[in-house]
Amino acid sequence: MHDRPRLEEAIDVLRAELDVGRSTKTELTTRAAWLAFMRFARQRFATAPTPDSDGLLFQYGTYAFSGRPMFTVDLTRQFDVSDDEGEHEHYLQVHCELRYEREPVLDALGSVDSWFFHDTNGDLDEWLATMERHVELLLARRPSEIDVYEEPV
């Protein structure tokens, strides 16, 4: 576990993966962001080997988080942060939000949310393939806005 990146490095790891998908001349496409998130999802971090210590959340819908309603795809990694005694202290979430101008075809998608947790019997590749089918319509598009941030929850 000591050869794995620390939780404090997670946002930098995600940003580095996102940078792989863009150059100074091109904007990030949804496909490139999704591929970056899949690489990020496969990397393991220095977490406790418990079923809820390292989770992935895929969610989308039309929300007004940034002021005006936009169709938002939120790709999130959630880590359990423990104190020195190993007790749960809080969660740290690392987000990559892709926002799109509202369109009837996007609004018609409704909303979806799905979790995957490492250190369970789940199949990560199967979960990622299922989530990719949810964003197929968006893969060739460029988001209007991209926000990468972390927050304690």
Side-chain angles (χ1 to χ4, degrees), residues 113-127:
D113 65 88
S114 178
W115 282 95
F116 175 88
F117 287 92
H118 289 285
D119 297 317
T120 65
N121 292 328
D123 183 315
L124 177 60
D125 289 330
E126 184 178 300
W127 183 80

Side-chain angles (χ1 to χ4, degrees), residues 47 71 97 100 102 111:
T47 60
F71 186 82
E97 285 186 3
Y100 307 84
R102 289 185 64 192
S111 62

Side-chain angles (χ1 to χ4, degrees), residues 91-147:
Y91 292 105
L92 175 67
Q93 290 186 342
V94 177
H95 296 264
C96 177
E97 285 186 3
L98 309 171
R99 298 184 197 112
Y100 307 84
E101 298 301 327
R102 289 185 64 192
E103 298 176 32
V105 69
L106 297 179
D107 288 344
L109 293 174
S111 62
V112 166
D113 65 88
S114 178
W115 282 95
F116 175 88
F117 287 92
H118 289 285
D119 297 317
T120 65
N121 292 328
D123 183 315
L124 177 60
D125 289 330
E126 184 178 300
W127 183 80
L128 289 169
T130 300
M131 297 307 102
E132 185 169 332
R133 287 191 290 276
H134 285 294
V135 292
E136 278 179 331
L137 177 68
L138 298 168
L139 290 177
R141 296 177 186 223
R142 295 193 193 294
S144 299
E145 300 174 11
I146 299 173
D147 194 10

Side-chain angles (χ1 to χ4, degrees), residues 41-60:
R42 288 186 174 101
Q43 294 183 45
R44 297 304 309 269
F45 288 81
T47 60
T50 57
D52 64 347
S53 66
D54 187 355
L56 302 165
L57 172 61
F58 173 94
Q59 58 187 340
Y60 69 65

